[in-house]
Amino acid sequence: MTVYQSSWNAQGAQALERREAMLARIAQLRALEERAAQISAKSRPVFDKRGQLLPRERVALLLDPGTPYLPIGSLAGFLQDTRNPAESVPGGGIVAGIGFVSGVRCMVVASDSGIDAGAIQPMGLDKILRVQDIALQNKLPFIHLVESAGANLMKYRVEGFVQGGALFRNLARLSAAGIPVITVQHGSGTAGGAYMPGLSDVVIMVRGRSRAFLAGPPLLKAATGEVATEEELGGAEMHTAVSGLGEYLAEDDRHALGIAREVVEKLSFRRKPESMAEAKGAWIAGQARNDNPRYDADELLGLMSASHREPVDMREVIARIVDDSDLLAFKPLYGAATVCVQASIEGHAVGFITNNGPIDVAGANKATHFIQLMCQLGHPLIYLQNTTGYMVGRDSEQGGMIKHGSKMIQAVTNATVPQITIQCGASFGAGNYGMCGRGYAPRFLFSWPSAKTAVMGGEQAARTMQIVTEAALARKGVTPDPAQSQAQFDKIVAMFEAQADAFYTSGLVLDDGVIDPRDTRAVLAQCLSMCAEAEQRQLRPMQFGVARM
C-alpha cells in the first residue's frame, strides 16, 4: 500500500480564494439547472387541470427512491437559444439521466413538456442522440417518457429534420442489440414523434391523454380534406384496441409509470446475486479496510486555479477521489509532468492519466506504455485533463514530439478498456485529443466548472494573430495602429474565453454534464459500475429490432 502524503494546505489563503471562486461557479451551475425546472413548473396549473404530473415528477416516480441518479446534459442548449445568459434556458427540452427502476439501472429520458409543450429545443436532438449512445454502449434499458409537440415549425431547419432520423435509427439499433426500449406515451406524439412508440418494444398509453399519429387533424384536413378527431386518429384506446401500437392502457400518469416499473421488473436485467460465500467474503473485506479517501472531498474546491496560470499537483486531486488515498505512481521520475497512477474507486481497479504541465516526449511515451499496460490488465482508464497541450519548441520538435504524441493518440484511440474523462482544468490544443477528449469517444465525459476547452488560450491566440497581422503590415511598409491592434487583441481574447467556458461547451453537448468537484468520486463510481455491469450483462441481439405486430 502506498498512501499518498498530501502537502496541500487546504486552509491556506490560496486554497480559500480558489474555493470561493469554485463555489461561485457551482452556485451558477445550480441556478441554471433550477431555472429550467422552475420554468417547467410554471405549467403546473395546466397539468393539474389535465390530471397530469409534471415531467420531473414523472421521472421521480419512475425511479427507485433513495438510489443514485446521474443527470446527463443538464446544460444542453445553454446560450444556444439566446446569447443572453440571464434568459437562456438549458436542458434542450429534455430531462435525461441514469437511475434505478425496479432495481435495474436504466437510461431515463423525459420530454420537458412544461416548456414549449415539449418541443425539442436547440441542442435537444444532440442530447438525445448522446444518451442513446450511452444506453447502447452500457447496455442500459432505454425508457422514454414522451409528451412532445415535436419540432418547432417556426424555427424549422432542414438539417434538423434530416439529422433527426438518427434518433429513430438508434431506437432500432438498441432493440436489435437486445436492449429493451420502453415508451410511456403521456401526451402527443405527432409526425416523426409517432415513431417513438412505433420503434419501441413496449408502449404504455394513457387513456384520454396519449396521442400518436403521422398527421394530426389540422394537417390531415390541409393535406387530404378528411376530418377526424384526435381520438379516432391516434388516441390511446384506439391504439391499444385497434391498431396495436400500444401494449398497455393506463388510467393516468401514475398508473402508466407503475406499469413501466412492472415491465422493467420482468426484464430479468438485474445483476445476478452473489453466492452467500461471496457476499460474506465481500462484507468481511469491506469491514477490514477503509475504502474512503483519507482526505476530505471538500478540499477539491480549493485545488484548481480559475485562471489556470498557477500549477496544480494533480496527485492531490487523485488522493481525494480514490480508495484509502492509495496511489501507485507509474514511472514517477520519467516524464514527470505526465502523471500515471494505479488506484481503485469503490473496489474498481483503474488507471489514471493526468497532467502537471504540458505533455513532453517522455510523458507521451510513458502514457502510451501505461495505456497498453491497463489494456493488458483490463483496468478502465480515467483521464483528468489539466494541460496546455503537447510541448512545443526546437528541442521538442527535434526530439520527435509529433511522432511520440501521435503514438499516444493511437493508444487512446484503440484502447480496449472503458475510458472516462473528467475535464478539471485546461484542455488546450492537441492535449484535448491525447487526453481522450470528446472527439475520442470516451465512455463518459464530465467537466468541472473550472474547465476550459480551446485550441489554445485566448491570450496566446490573440498574440499569435497580432504577430501575424503586424508582420503582414510590415511587409507592406505600414506601421500598425496601437489602438486597432489592442482592440483586435481584446476581441480575440473575449471570443476564445467565452467559447472555452465549461458552461458554454456543455451547452453544445461537448460533455455529459458539469459536476461539482466534490461529486467526482461518486460520479466515477457510478460510471465504473455501469461499465462492469455492461461487461457482465449477456444480451440476446437480433438481426432486426422487435417489430410491432
Coordinates of all heavy atoms in Angstrom, one line a residue, residues 26 38 45 68-69 198 213 246 254 283 288 304 333 337 366 385 388 396 400 427 439 494 510 523 549:
I26 N -20.2 26.9 -8.9 CA -21.2 25.8 -8.6 C -22.6 26.5 -8.4 O -23.6 25.9 -8.8 CB -20.7 25.0 -7.4 CG1 -19.5 24.2 -7.7 CG2 -21.8 24.1 -6.9 CD1 -18.8 23.6 -6.5
Q38 N -37.8 25.5 -12.8 CA -38.8 26.5 -12.4 C -39.7 26.9 -13.6 O -40.9 27.0 -13.4 CB -38.1 27.7 -11.8 CG -37.6 27.4 -10.4 CD -36.8 28.6 -9.8 OE1 -36.6 29.6 -10.5 NE2 -36.4 28.5 -8.6
P45 N -50.5 24.6 -13.2 CA -51.9 24.7 -13.3 C -52.5 23.9 -14.5 O -53.6 23.3 -14.4 CB -52.1 26.2 -13.4 CG -51.0 26.8 -12.8 CD -49.8 25.9 -13.1
P68 N -29.0 6.0 -6.4 CA -28.2 7.0 -7.1 C -28.8 7.4 -8.5 O -29.4 6.5 -9.1 CB -26.9 6.3 -7.3 CG -26.8 5.2 -6.3 CD -28.2 4.8 -6.1
Y69 N -28.7 8.6 -8.8 CA -29.2 9.1 -10.1 C -28.1 10.0 -10.7 O -27.6 10.9 -10.0 CB -30.5 9.9 -9.9 CG -31.1 10.5 -11.2 CD1 -31.6 9.7 -12.2 CD2 -31.0 11.9 -11.4 CE1 -32.1 10.3 -13.4 CE2 -31.5 12.5 -12.5 CZ -32.1 11.7 -13.5 OH -32.6 12.3 -14.7
G198 N -43.6 3.8 -32.2 CA -43.6 2.8 -33.3 C -42.3 2.0 -33.3 O -42.3 0.8 -33.7
F213 N -50.0 10.1 -34.0 CA -50.5 10.0 -35.4 C -49.4 10.7 -36.3 O -48.7 11.6 -35.9 CB -51.8 10.7 -35.6 CG -52.2 11.7 -34.6 CD1 -51.4 12.9 -34.5 CD2 -53.3 11.6 -33.9 CE1 -51.8 13.9 -33.6 CE2 -53.7 12.6 -33.0 CZ -52.9 13.8 -32.9
G246 N -50.1 0.3 -29.1 CA -49.8 0.2 -27.6 C -50.1 -1.1 -27.0 O -51.0 -1.8 -27.5
R254 N -49.7 8.2 -13.1 CA -49.2 7.4 -12.1 C -49.3 5.9 -12.4 O -48.4 5.1 -12.2 CB -49.9 7.7 -10.7 CG -49.5 9.0 -10.2 CD -50.2 9.3 -8.9 NE -49.9 10.6 -8.4 CZ -48.9 10.9 -7.6 NH1 -48.0 9.9 -7.3 NH2 -48.6 12.1 -7.2
W283 N -18.3 -8.7 2.4 CA -18.7 -8.0 3.6 C -17.5 -7.9 4.6 O -17.2 -6.8 5.1 CB -19.9 -8.6 4.3 CG -20.4 -7.8 5.5 CD1 -21.2 -6.7 5.4 CD2 -20.0 -8.0 6.8 NE1 -21.4 -6.2 6.7 CE2 -20.7 -7.0 7.6 CE3 -19.2 -8.9 7.5 CZ2 -20.6 -6.9 9.0 CZ3 -19.1 -8.8 8.9 CH2 -19.8 -7.8 9.6
A288 N -12.7 -4.8 6.8 CA -11.3 -4.8 7.2 C -10.5 -3.6 6.6 O -9.4 -3.3 7.0 CB -10.7 -6.1 6.7
M304 N -8.0 23.8 -7.7 CA -7.9 24.2 -9.1 C -7.9 25.8 -9.2 O -8.9 26.4 -8.8 CB -9.0 23.6 -9.9 CG -8.8 23.7 -11.4 SD -7.3 22.8 -12.0 CE -7.6 21.2 -11.4
L333 N 9.5 9.3 -12.0 CA 10.6 10.1 -12.3 C 10.8 10.4 -13.8 O 11.6 11.3 -14.2 CB 11.9 9.6 -11.7 CG 11.9 9.3 -10.2 CD1 13.2 8.7 -9.8 CD2 11.6 10.5 -9.5
A337 N 5.9 15.4 -15.7 CA 4.7 16.3 -15.9 C 3.5 15.5 -16.3 O 2.3 16.0 -16.2 CB 5.0 17.4 -16.9
K366 N 5.5 7.6 -21.8 CA 5.0 7.0 -20.6 C 3.5 6.7 -20.7 O 3.1 5.6 -20.3 CB 5.3 7.9 -19.4 CG 4.8 7.3 -18.1 CD 5.4 8.0 -16.9 CE 4.8 9.4 -16.6 NZ 5.2 9.9 -15.3
Q385 N -8.1 15.8 -17.2 CA -7.5 16.8 -18.1 C -7.1 18.1 -17.3 O -7.9 18.7 -16.6 CB -8.4 17.1 -19.2 CG -8.6 16.0 -20.2 CD -9.2 16.5 -21.5 OE1 -9.6 17.7 -21.7 NE2 -9.4 15.6 -22.5
T388 N -2.0 22.3 -21.1 CA -2.0 23.3 -22.1 C -1.6 22.7 -23.5 O -1.6 23.4 -24.5 CB -0.9 24.4 -21.8 OG1 0.3 23.8 -21.5 CG2 -1.4 25.2 -20.6
S396 N 11.9 20.1 -28.5 CA 10.8 19.2 -28.5 C 10.5 18.6 -29.9 O 10.4 17.4 -30.1 CB 9.5 19.9 -28.0 OG 8.4 19.0 -28.0
G400 N 11.2 14.6 -31.6 CA 10.2 13.7 -32.1 C 8.8 13.9 -31.5 O 8.0 12.9 -31.4
S427 N -7.9 22.4 -21.1 CA -7.9 21.3 -22.1 C -7.6 22.0 -23.4 O -8.5 22.2 -24.2 CB -9.3 20.6 -22.0 OG -9.3 19.6 -23.0
G439 N -13.8 14.1 -29.0 CA -13.6 13.5 -30.3 C -13.1 12.1 -30.3 O -13.1 11.4 -31.3
A494 N -11.6 37.8 -25.8 CA -13.0 37.6 -25.4 C -13.7 36.5 -26.1 O -14.5 35.7 -25.5 CB -13.8 39.0 -25.6
L510 N -20.8 19.0 -25.6 CA -19.4 18.6 -25.7 C -18.9 17.8 -24.5 O -17.8 17.4 -24.4 CB -18.5 19.7 -26.1 CG -18.8 20.5 -27.4 CD1 -17.9 21.6 -27.6 CD2 -18.8 19.5 -28.6
V523 N -19.6 10.1 -9.0 CA -19.9 10.0 -10.4 C -19.0 8.9 -11.1 O -19.5 8.1 -11.8 CB -19.6 11.4 -11.1 CG1 -19.7 11.3 -12.6 CG2 -20.7 12.4 -10.7
M549 N -46.4 -6.0 -34.1 CA -47.3 -6.8 -34.9 C -48.8 -6.3 -34.7 O -49.1 -5.8 -33.7 CB -47.3 -8.3 -34.4 CG -45.9 -8.9 -34.5 SD -45.3 -8.9 -36.3 CE -43.7 -9.6 -36.1

